[in-house]
Amino acid sequence: MLRPCLKTIEIQGFRSFGAEPQVAEIDAPIAAIWCPNSKGKTSFAEAVEFLLTGQTVKREVLSSRQDEFAGALRNAHIGADVEAYVSAAIECPDGNIRTFKRKLDSDYTKQHDCQSTLTIDGTAATEDDLFAHGIVLAQPPLRAPVLAQHTLNYLFTARPADRSSYFKALLEATDLDTFREEVAALDDYLTAPDDPLLEKLEKAQAIPVATPLFLLEDLTDLATLQKVFGVAAAELLKLEVCRSPKP
């Protein structure tokens, strides 16, 4: 093994993550995280960034006034006694799995940066210790190997040398080959099952009055699906009543 590999990540009290620890298992060459809008994808990416650098680059590249990010990292809805942290189990180049954890000590304020504590296997650590375990950061401000929407504008205007440094930290040449191979292997896995109920669902989604309802709702549970069908059926009945000739 030549470089670190993320195995699991645990997040509590950071950004949109609440008081209960949330754990993601990422023991794979390629991992895809899918969820609807406003469900925590960006917070997840920023959690990785915070773990490695102790900050979020959003404050540097997006905000015209840095005080706009005052109190931006700690979830505002959790109690003061709840710890905000990001922890990850990372397999290091020497083959050992170590726990890297960064705890938010104090959030951004109008005048000051946030403060945090980094530990590796429970022992206080520094950025030099990250490097010693194979974690290489790029040059400021985009130090963490995390590519997000808010970093693209900066990359488009950065010097070529800075862009090169960032992408070297973000990707290796073999990463693109691995990604292509993993995506190609999904063809059979993603084949839609031959299910008449799914065919009926597709037909229902194509009905004009029902389409907006299917798009707006998260159809991952039976109760929500039943609600959407009920509302759609009611709208169809209204249309039918309006179309029917009056006696």
Side-chain angles (χ1 to χ4, degrees), residues 53-110:
T53 68
Q55 60 181 359
T56 174
V57 75
K58 267 187 176 181
R59 189 170 182 259
E60 302 297 326
V61 301
L62 282 187
S63 180
S64 58
R65 296 172 53 200
Q66 291 190 345
D67 59 10
E68 293 176 6
F69 278 80
L73 299 185
R74 181 179 175 83
N75 188 314
H77 303 288
I78 62 175
D81 58 331
V82 177
E83 187 179 86
Y85 68 86
V86 180
S87 177
I90 298 177
E91 186 173 359
C92 299
D94 61 7
N96 292 314
I97 297 179
R98 297 182 173 88
T99 300
F100 295 72
K101 179 179 178 180
R102 188 178 294 273
K103 180 173 70 74
L104 180 65
D105 296 324
S106 60
D107 209 333
Y108 288 117
T109 67
K110 293 183 178 181

Side-chain angles (χ1 to χ4, degrees), residues 129-152:
D129 296 308
L130 293 178
F131 182 78
H133 290 299
I135 298 175
V136 179
L137 301 179
Q139 296 299 313
L142 304 184
R143 309 189 65 213
V146 177
L147 181 62
Q149 289 180 334
H150 56 268
T151 63
L152 291 177

